Amino acid sequence: MKQFLVTTLVCLAFFPLAIGQQLKSPNSKLQMEFSLQKDGTPTYALNYKNKAVIKTSKLGLELKNDPKSLLNDFKIIDTKTATFNENWTPVWGEVSSIQNNYNELAVTLNQNTTDRKLIIRFRLFNEGLGFRYEFPSQKNLTYFVIKEEHTQFAMAGDHKTFWIPGDYETQEYDYTTSKMSEIRGLMKTATTENVSQKSFSPTGVQTSLMMKTADGLYINLHEAALINYSCMHLNLDDKNMIFESWLTPDANGDKGYMQAPGTSPWRTIMVSDDAREILASKMTLNLNDPSKIEDTSWIKPVKYIGVWWEMITGKSSWSYTNDFTSVELGKTDYSTAKPNGTHGATTTNVKKYIDFAAKNGFDAVLVEGWNTGWEDWFGNSKDYVFDFVTPYPDFDLKGIHAYAKEKGIKMIMHHETSGSVRNYERHMDKAYQFMKDNGYDAVKSGYVGNMLPRGEKHYSQWIINHYQYAIEKAAEYKIMVNAHEAVRPTGIARTYPNLIGNESARGTEYQSFGGNNPNHVTILPFTRLIGGPMDYTPGIFEMDLSKMNPENNSHVNSTIANQLALYVTMYSPLQMAADTPENYNRFPDAFQFIKDVAVDWDDSKYLEAEPGDYLTVARKAKGTNNWFVGNVNGNTTRTSTINFDFLEKGKKYIATLYADAKDANYKTNPQAYTIKKMKVTSKSKLNQISVPAGGYAISIMEQK
């Protein structure tokens, strides 16, 4: 059902300092006001239940080599309001139906000196505001270059903030929790080493940015529909508590090459006095266009294992040989090389993973390090680094395809680009066709290291366009994409649902690189996951990584119960059981939850939520009456209290609870857990202790 109403208004009210227009959310809890300052500068403000969320904030864009820019000297020449309400069905998701309900205000501005037009479109949902700049077709503004976007978010206080450093190259940082005023003093310790990074300001942070006010409002700043534009960071004026947009520059230092007609991405502000409403919001998706893929029958959620963690921990290697320090594809003769004995992607090893996947009901197996070129792939600014079609001598690609098909297992291809996007685009059609010819329906792509062309950044406009090109090209071949080290998602998976996963944050792999903060997974759903699902790669059962590689002294800062809960709390239609078969075989009773848990859902209920502290989620498996619950805990022991009123009334269920044991400790006793079965109904309640970096998971099966 869809409802759409448009009303055209011409503003006739003139005030000494401003011309104003107001917009309310459908439930009237949010109110936005647009106004022009005396000098014609556009501004907006946002209130929630009569509390200031965003104080009067300026809007506009500074253009390169343009004496006027699009900053001021505007007058309102037209306003249009509209209301919109529909329900749409996602291809995959947390719920089976999504409501898209907003009130809209589109303000058309004319710049007096230049006779240029700019439209600012606002959409106010019950849970927040989205707005963007639109550049209509016109003779005085056709091609232009953005020097900087000057969108402000003037905060109403010195809020508690969950942030990572602003960086043009990476989001792979632990979150720092502090007041806004403390960001400057904490920036150096928050900026930890990465293989590719470029900070820009001592007060620059990244979206999605989560905040909590002293009086209990939860605020989130992000962007939606990042298409043909550079990624937005936020730079803080910590004297006035104003965040301002800061776009990622290209190799020339420019921040956006634009052509009218065109638009910016949406700038988003979510707000609620209930943290659970932030997590349940589908506003980011709703600000993206409907699916452009007509036949989506080939897009399917995936639970997989893979030849990956053994390389991340250093037990195995991606490379085949230690003989070569320099590789030239098509010229280097691997048949003469001595195998190093540590290569993970061998036919024998991969078949072991296929057997394990088939035995335990998984959908697919990922294999990394299968293709030639890994001996000198990183750190050499190498253009022609991989061809994505040539396997190592010990990887029988055809034989593995046949073996996996016989076992009913799909294979996931790995395409590491080493940041050489020109080389990837050069090979993309051939590589995707190669995948289809050999039974691969999904690809995990990677962008580790500095970008080629040199000087481009991971989040600059040209590279953003590359990521989009890869998604759209994959759709032509009916291939699903899981992009790692790419730009953070902004809801584009609604338009291209073959984008079934992204990394784009500090994932499980960093547990092998020194460890993640114990409360990391209680923050990510409020930040990184606001834009779309994450391939977080949970399911680690052996926390002492020296047992896998004596030279790796890292420790996984988590309990086993916490790792199980992540399959529910870290929503993704692409879920990996990231540990090795050997470690799962040691704990078959705990592993049962990973085997049982769904990857696609009809409904989701956020039962408890506090960023940085705890999160409890219940989800109903697609097409069934079975539910799964996950709880992850932060830095202090806590008792989680939940009701089972999400269950169907009158039905009886058998619940299996996987919880931290009383003596569980993520550092000293992480593998201590208890499992118990119990009968539950919609009237049942649970009080369950979760230790630091711990939690619990529950599978709830309808009793027939």
Side-chain angles (χ1 to χ4, degrees):
M1 181 177 179
K2 182 185 296 185
Q3 297 176 345
F4 191 74
L5 176 65
V6 178
T7 305
T8 301
L9 301 173
V10 178
C11 183
L12 299 175
F14 293 87
F15 299 92
L17 295 178
I19 302 172
Q21 293 291 333
Q22 291 187 346
L23 186 68
K24 289 186 177 182
S25 60
N27 63 8
S28 297
K29 292 180 181 180
L30 280 163
Q31 180 176 305
M32 190 278 300
E33 180 170 333
F34 173 83
S35 63
L36 288 180
Q37 292 184 336
K38 191 174 182 180
D39 67 350
T41 298
T43 72
Y44 76 104
L46 182 66
N47 291 341
Y48 177 78
K49 294 182 179 179
N50 297 317
K51 293 181 181 179
V53 177
I54 304 294
K55 299 189 296 184
T56 299
S57 301
K58 295 180 180 179
L59 300 168
L61 300 106
E62 182 181 358
L63 307 186
K64 183 179 180 180
N65 299 326
D66 188 298
K68 192 63 181 173
S69 291
L70 297 172
L71 296 170
N72 53 35
D73 196 27
F74 286 107
K75 63 181 179 182
I76 298 175
I77 61 171
D78 184 54
T79 63
K80 289 184 173 65
T81 60
T83 184
F84 187 81
N85 191 10
E86 71 167 355
N87 289 289
W88 59 277
T89 302
V91 176
W92 44 260
E94 297 180 88
V95 292
S96 59
S97 179
I98 293 175
Q99 184 181 23
N100 185 10
N101 182 204
Y102 59 82
N103 292 328
E104 181 177 279
L105 169 67
V107 182
T108 302
L109 304 173
N110 192 81
Q111 195 170 46
N112 295 315
T113 307
T114 65
D115 194 29
R116 295 188 297 206
K117 291 181 176 59
L118 174 67
I119 299 172
I120 306 178
R121 188 177 303 274
F122 300 91
R123 289 182 179 172
L124 197 53
F125 301 78
N126 286 338
E127 66 268 41
L129 173 67
F131 62 91
R132 72 180 182 187
Y133 303 97
E134 299 182 359
F135 314 102
S137 180
Q138 57 193 292
K139 65 178 182 180
N140 292 337
L141 187 70
T142 303
Y143 292 94
F144 57 99
V145 179
I146 296 174
K147 185 176 181 180
E148 189 57 86
E149 179 189 318
H150 292 286
T151 300
Q152 292 185 344
F153 305 85
M155 310 313 297
D158 186 9
H159 305 325
K160 180 180 181 180
T161 306
F162 303 85
W163 59 276
I164 56 175
D167 198 297
Y168 298 149
E169 302 283 12
T170 184
Q171 287 190 268
E172 294 175 342
Y173 293 117
D174 262 319
Y175 281 86
T176 300
T177 303
S178 74
K179 290 186 175 181
M180 292 165 56
S181 59
E182 296 170 332
I183 291 175
R184 183 184 297 272
L186 294 170
M187 183 61 71
K188 285 187 178 180
T189 55
T191 308
T192 50
E193 186 177 356
N194 196 280
V195 296
S196 180
Q197 59 190 147
K198 179 62 176 178
S199 298
F200 61 85
S201 166
T203 58
V205 296
Q206 299 195 47
T207 70
S208 170
L209 183 70
M210 189 69 196
M211 291 171 280
K212 185 180 182 182
T213 70
D215 55 356
L217 285 187
Y218 299 89
I219 303 169
N220 186 282
L221 305 181
H222 194 30
E223 62 181 325
L226 176 55
I227 301 284
N228 191 25
Y229 206 84
S230 69
C231 179
M232 180 183 73
H233 298 73
L234 299 171
N235 197 39
L236 176 65
D237 171 358
D238 49 4
K239 291 183 179 180
N240 298 297
M241 298 301 151
I242 299 174
F243 286 110
E244 187 169 303
S245 57
W246 185 291
L247 303 182
T248 305
D250 64 14
N252 294 327
D254 299 322
K255 298 197 171 185
Y257 283 76
M258 305 297 293
Q259 178 183 354
T263 70
S264 75
W266 296 92
R267 279 64 187 96
T268 63
I269 306 162
M270 293 182 186
V271 57
S272 178
D273 50 15
D274 187 339
R276 297 174 299 175
E277 292 183 355
I278 301 291
L279 296 172
S281 171
K282 300 297 179 285
M283 191 176 90
T284 308
L285 286 174
N286 282 330
L287 287 167
N288 281 265
D289 291 338
S291 176
K292 292 188 177 180
I293 302 174
E294 292 185 8
D295 174 19
T296 59
S297 60
W298 51 275
I299 302 172
K300 300 181 184 299
V302 176
K303 190 189 300 183
Y304 72 107
I305 62 171
V307 184
W308 174 75
W309 185 242
E310 61 183 79
M311 281 99 90
I312 292 293
T313 59
K315 177 184 178 182
S316 301
S317 66
W318 284 269
S319 61
Y320 168 75
T321 181
N322 298 332
D323 288 355
F324 304 141
T325 57
S326 175
V327 171
E328 291 185 82
L329 298 181
K331 297 181 181 180
T332 301
D333 186 0
Y334 280 96
S335 67
T336 65
K338 178 184 177 182
N340 56 24
T342 60
H343 187 218
T346 67
T347 301
T348 300
N349 194 35
V350 172
K351 285 185 175 181
K352 180 187 74 174
Y353 278 82
I354 293 171
D355 289 341
F356 185 82
K359 178 182 177 182
N360 292 287
F362 285 80
D363 302 304
V365 173
L366 164 75
V367 181
E368 296 198 9
W370 67 276
N371 56 316
T372 59
W374 285 93
E375 286 74 19
D376 68 345
W377 75 283
F378 177 74
N380 297 308
S381 192
K382 186 178 181 182
D383 183 23
Y384 189 18
V385 57
F386 294 113
D387 67 7
F388 312 102
V389 296
T390 306
Y392 277 125
D394 60 350
F395 184 79
D396 179 7
L397 188 138
K398 297 288 185 183
I400 287 170
H401 171 215
Y403 190 79
K405 186 176 182 180
E406 178 187 339
K407 297 279 187 174
I409 297 298
K410 288 286 187 178
M411 299 298 294
I412 299 176
M413 184 65 80
H414 182 232
H415 287 170
E416 176 55 60
T417 69
S418 191
S420 183
V421 297
R422 185 182 75 149
N423 182 59
Y424 194 29
E425 290 184 7
R426 179 194 294 137
H427 289 89
M428 197 173 284
D429 278 291
K430 184 178 180 181
Y432 285 164
Q433 186 60 57
F434 182 80
M435 285 178 59
K436 297 307 292 184
D437 292 343
N438 290 279
Y440 289 77
D441 296 331
V443 62
K444 173 185 175 181
S445 56
Y447 296 89
V448 175
N450 294 330
M451 283 293 181
L452 288 170
R454 297 176 184 90
E456 290 292 340
K457 307 296 190 293
H458 278 74
Y459 309 142
S460 60
Q461 182 186 28
W462 197 91
I463 303 298
I464 299 296
N465 289 346
H466 161 78
Y467 300 140
Q468 189 64 32
Y469 176 78
I471 297 166
E472 294 182 22
K473 178 62 70 172
E476 294 178 15
Y477 288 86
K478 295 187 176 181
I479 287 173
M480 298 180 289
V481 175
N482 168 28
H484 281 227
E485 296 89 29
V487 72
R488 55 185 172 266
T490 57
I492 290 171
R494 180 188 180 188
T495 312
Y496 289 94
N498 64 316
L499 180 62
I500 59 168
N502 282 103
E503 182 192 40
S504 307
R506 187 180 176 104
T508 298
E509 65 182 356
Y510 276 83
Q511 299 280 25
S512 181
F513 306 154
N516 293 334
N517 284 343
N519 71 338
H520 186 57
V521 295
T522 68
I523 298 175
L524 281 172
F526 292 94
T527 53
R528 161 62 184 78
L529 270 70
I530 292 296
M534 181 178 178
D535 184 28
Y536 186 72
T537 60
I540 304 303
F541 279 13
E542 178 52 70
M543 313 307 174
D544 180 359
L545 299 187
S546 67
K547 293 181 180 179
M548 293 190 67
N549 173 14
E551 296 181 3
N552 188 339
N553 295 315
S554 290
H555 183 89
V556 178
N557 294 325
S558 169
T559 67
I560 281 184
N562 177 280
Q563 289 291 310
L564 297 180
L566 293 175
Y567 289 92
V568 184
T569 63
M570 294 286 291
Y571 167 68
S572 179
L574 178 77
Q575 290 284 21
M576 184 182 197
D579 213 331
T580 62
E582 293 83 1
N583 286 330
Y584 289 135
N585 287 335
R586 292 166 55 201
F587 304 97
D589 53 354
F591 183 59
Q592 186 63 44
F593 181 83
I594 299 179
K595 293 166 61 175
D596 291 341
V597 70
V599 289
D600 200 16
W601 311 98
D602 275 333
D603 199 7
S604 295
K605 304 293 184 183
Y606 288 89
L607 307 180
E608 303 176 296
E610 183 63 33
D613 291 341
Y614 56 85
L615 174 63
T616 309
V617 188
R619 303 192 194 274
K620 185 181 181 184
K622 178 74 74 175
T624 76
N625 209 23
N626 300 328
W627 288 77
F628 295 86
V629 177
N631 165 270
V632 289
N633 194 32
N635 295 319
T636 58
T637 299
R638 175 180 178 273
T639 298
S640 169
T641 301
I642 63 170
N643 297 318
F644 289 79
D645 54 6
F646 51 84
L647 298 177
E648 187 176 343
K649 292 180 180 179
K651 296 280 188 179
K652 295 180 180 180
Y653 299 81
I654 299 295
T656 305
L657 172 67
Y658 304 78
D660 295 320
K662 291 182 179 179
D663 59 345
N665 182 290
Y666 76 90
K667 277 294 188 186
T668 60
N669 198 19
Q671 295 167 328
Y673 59 89
T674 63
I675 301 176
K676 68 176 181 179
K677 290 185 180 292
M678 51 193 178
K679 295 180 179 180
V680 296
T681 69
S682 62
K683 297 180 180 180
S684 300
K685 296 182 179 181
L686 175 71
N687 295 317
Q688 179 62 46
I689 291 178
S690 296
V691 304
Y696 61 84
I698 313 174
S699 62
I700 307 171
M701 307 297 182
E702 183 182 2
Q703 194 171 358
K704 302 296 185 182

